[in-house]
Amino acid sequence: MTDMAHLGLYGLGTMGSALSLNILDNGFALHVANRTAEVTADFAKEAGALATRLTTHASLADMAKSMPRPRAIILMVPAGRPVEEAIDDLCDLLEPGDTIIDAGNTDFHDTRRRTAKVEGRGLTFIGMGVSGGEEGARNGPSIMVGGTPEAWAGIRPMIHAISAKFNGEPCADHLGPDGAGHFVKTVHNGIEYADMQMISETYGMMRYGQGMDPAMIGARFEAWDQGVLKSYLVEITGKVLQAVDRETGGPAVDVILDRAGQKGTGRWTLIEALRLGQSASSIEAAVAARSWSSEKDTRVAGEAILGGTRGAVSLDDQDYADALLAARIIAYAQGFRLLAAASEEYNWSLDFARIAEIWRAGCIIRSALLDDISAAFRGEMPLGQLIFAPAFADRLKTTLPALRRVVAAAALGGHPVPALASALSFVDTFAMARGTTDLIQAQRDFFGMHGFERIGGASGQHGPWWD
Ligand SMILES: NC(=O)c1ccc[n+]([C@@H]2O[C@H](COP(=O)([O-])OP(=O)(O)OC[C@H]3O[C@@H](n4cnc5c(N)ncnc54)[C@H](OP(=O)(O)O)[C@@H]3O)[C@@H](O)[C@H]2O)c1
């Protein structure tokens, strides 16, 4: 593909319509189509003055057929069958020199398979993660691109133009071949799950343990957003908790059913972590917490049977802020460990500092910490572990006591904090040279003759269990 490719976008839902307006706003001409044709007509009206650069089509096939060559068609439809069907259709309609860009949240294994399939037909395929929700897509998202360097060169000017900027630098880059962009986006979402869960656990302690009302807690989050915890998620938490429900006049958060949804990226992160022999425990805890939350009836029955009560907690505001910072560092560290493992497994040569940089603006996990994370990856980092980088090791040393106080108070008071607790156990495990899996090895040898490695000796040894 060359810089001159004509752009098309299929799927004018929340993200597709916002991204289309962004593309038009940046001076690019755009062809659009949508499964339901009325949506396309409505979109043309919404585009207003920008519609002068817009060409609408009745269907994907009509769009592909009538676009001048070379064509680059962005898909913004749900992962799975909708993407697969659109790609199959396009494979029959496009010609060598044309490009298909899957810009939705796709499982990177599908992207790897589709890259081989589409490129086998002589077309170019790009798997592109886009983060920032509707607002980001409209005004500048963070964009993670996977594909060949040539494919990237063809879309780079447009992607750089529409992406978020941090100190004038585009928060978009080519991260590696085939599934690399979608995988980095998946892990981004995994970290997002963990951060959201840790924030909500902190809210739970302050609300039900300290007896603070949502507006008071929201004000604390608003204040924290001025310091080291500065981030989009802390900022919106402050706003959400201070919002008032129009109907009841009470806190808006109180009228919301406590049952969280998920679309799959958190789960994909975990599945891949396990495949790679890793564990991103804070992300696992966040996915589990959402699953448990969906069992509302079981929880209602559980409260009656097991008598769950939440005891009083008395901690300083600073304890919560420090605990959240420590846990957030650990969640990022676990996400980057997973990226490192995948990079090695799939030969992606991911640039971790660059990934941290393109997450600094536009995306949901943007936070002040990411600037320091990119600096840490460019500096000294023993064993490539973020928690060992001097700046982060120092921060952990000062904030871990607070995380211990929060997790301990939660345990004693009966407040569930799965993500905070698992983050603490992770760092405690890696802060100790000798653990307790000597006993696991002994047990395995006892019941299964699995053998163990003797310290300073050979492997395949057996214990004296049957002497
Ligand atoms: N929402 C977010 O914050 C966000 C953020 C980052 C990434 N994403 C990803 O972006 C992609 C789009 O999400 P969205 O939030 O924009 O979804 P959405 O608002 O639900 O829109 C879905 C779009 O896909 C079309 N579509 C649905 N099923 C289809 C099918 N079987 N065949 C063809 N078209 C179909 C819909 O067309 P109709 O009008 O005909 O229904 C609509 O245009 C997803 O992969 C999502 O995970 C979303």
Side-chain angles (χ1 to χ4, degrees):
M1 200 180 92
T2 72
D3 288 3
M4 302 299 292
H6 299 269
L7 289 171
L9 187 142
Y10 179 61
L12 291 168
T14 308
M15 292 297 281
S17 55
L19 202 66
S20 295
L21 293 174
N22 184 354
I23 292 170
L24 293 166
D25 226 359
N26 277 284
F28 297 92
L30 184 68
H31 295 255
V32 293
N34 191 67
R35 177 180 63 173
T36 311
E38 299 85 72
V39 173
T40 313
D42 291 345
F43 174 74
K45 281 188 214 132
E46 188 195 339
L50 295 175
T52 48
R53 288 190 283 278
L54 182 71
T55 311
T56 59
H57 302 271
S59 68
L60 176 64
D62 281 354
M63 178 167 83
K65 280 184 216 154
S66 49
M67 280 175 68
R69 280 185 265 156
R71 300 160 281 197
I73 297 185
I74 301 169
L75 302 178
M76 233 344 167
V77 295
R81 189 181 280 270
V83 176
E84 196 77 33
E85 286 174 356
I87 290 172
D88 285 345
D89 291 348
L90 288 175
C91 277
D92 291 335
L93 295 161
L94 300 183
E95 293 171 28
D98 293 334
T99 301
I100 301 173
I101 303 166
D102 174 12
N105 283 337
T106 286
D107 182 335
F108 83 104
H109 288 293
D110 286 337
T111 306
R112 284 165 63 79
R113 175 178 55 75
R114 289 171 185 152
T115 302
K117 179 170 92 171
V118 173
E119 306 216 328
R121 304 282 294 260
L123 306 173
T124 300
F125 191 76
I126 290 174
M128 186 168 97
V130 178
S131 176
E134 183 180 15
E135 200 265 55
R138 176 65 185 89
N139 299 311
S142 170
I143 303 179
M144 294 141 259
V145 177
T148 61
E150 298 73 32
W152 166 236
I155 61 166
R156 187 176 46 211
M158 184 272 290
I159 296 296
H160 276 175
I162 66 169
S163 72
K165 309 289 181 299
F166 184 88
N167 290 340
E169 251 183 73
C171 289
D173 216 335
H174 175 233
L175 302 176
D178 49 64
H182 273 146
F183 185 68
V184 172
K185 172 66 188 353
T186 299
V187 173
H188 162 285
N189 284 24
I191 296 170
E192 175 185 313
Y193 270 60
D195 209 18
M196 291 169 74
Q197 176 63 24
M198 289 161 169
I199 287 172
S200 78
E201 290 172 9
T202 305
Y203 155 75
M205 296 277 293
M206 296 172 90
R207 175 92 194 257
Y208 303 109
Q210 303 269 157
M212 294 167 72
D213 65 42
M216 285 166 74
I217 304 168
R220 299 294 193 280
F221 273 87
E222 194 181 327
W224 293 343
D225 191 42
Q226 307 307 311
V228 281
L229 283 172
K230 184 171 177 51
S231 57
Y232 176 68
L233 285 171
V234 165
E235 178 196 333
I236 65 166
T237 302
K239 289 183 176 154
V240 164
L241 290 175
Q242 293 180 76
V244 172
D245 178 50
R246 287 185 206 99
E247 223 171 282
T248 60
V253 74
D254 283 359
V255 303
I256 301 174
L257 187 62
D258 56 333
R259 207 155 57 181
Q262 49 183 320
K263 280 190 179 166
T265 43
R267 198 166 43 233
W268 295 343
T269 310
L270 302 188
I271 291 170
E272 197 52 30
L274 295 177
R275 275 202 187 110
L276 293 166
Q278 290 273 320
S279 168
S281 62
S282 60
I283 302 173
E284 265 165 36
V287 172
R290 287 200 196 185
S291 303
W292 296 338
S293 84
S294 69
E295 292 190 51
K296 178 73 179 175
D297 295 346
T298 314
R299 289 187 288 119
V300 170
E303 186 167 315
I305 296 166
L306 300 172
T309 49
R310 286 184 275 210
V313 174
S314 179
L315 294 169
D316 296 338
D317 283 354
Q318 196 57 42
D319 279 334
Y320 292 112
D322 285 351
L324 197 50
L325 180 62
R328 173 178 277 181
I329 291 170
I330 295 162
Y332 277 118
Q334 291 188 330
F336 277 100
R337 279 165 57 84
L338 190 48
L339 290 177
S343 182
E344 197 173 316
E345 175 74 13
Y346 300 105
N347 287 318
W348 286 337
S349 305
L350 292 177
D351 179 342
F352 307 116
R354 188 68 195 124
I355 291 169
E357 280 170 3
I358 67 171
W359 286 348
R360 288 178 303 183
C363 70
I364 304 295
I365 63 168
R366 61 187 183 260
S367 75
L369 218 49
L370 282 160
D371 217 17
D372 300 336
I373 292 177
S374 65
F377 275 110
R378 294 200 197 286
E380 182 203 341
M381 193 185 284
L383 302 173
Q385 303 292 328
L386 186 63
I387 56 172
F388 296 163
F392 285 95
D394 286 349
R395 273 190 185 172
L396 281 173
K397 282 181 198 158
T398 54
T399 53
L400 277 174
L403 182 56
R404 286 187 205 296
R405 282 193 287 278
V406 169
V407 171
L412 290 171
H415 302 264
V417 289
L420 294 175
S422 67
L424 180 59
S425 290
F426 170 83
V427 85
D428 277 343
T429 299
F430 281 101
M432 217 151 337
R434 183 156 173 86
T436 56
T437 44
D438 43 0
L439 181 57
I440 303 284
Q441 288 299 79
Q443 291 164 335
R444 292 178 68 239
D445 186 51
F446 190 106
F447 65 67
M449 287 287 281
H450 292 292
F452 57 80
E453 189 176 347
R454 191 176 184 90
I455 296 171
S459 57
Q461 304 269 312
H462 297 290
W465 337 120
W466 306 284
D467 288 353

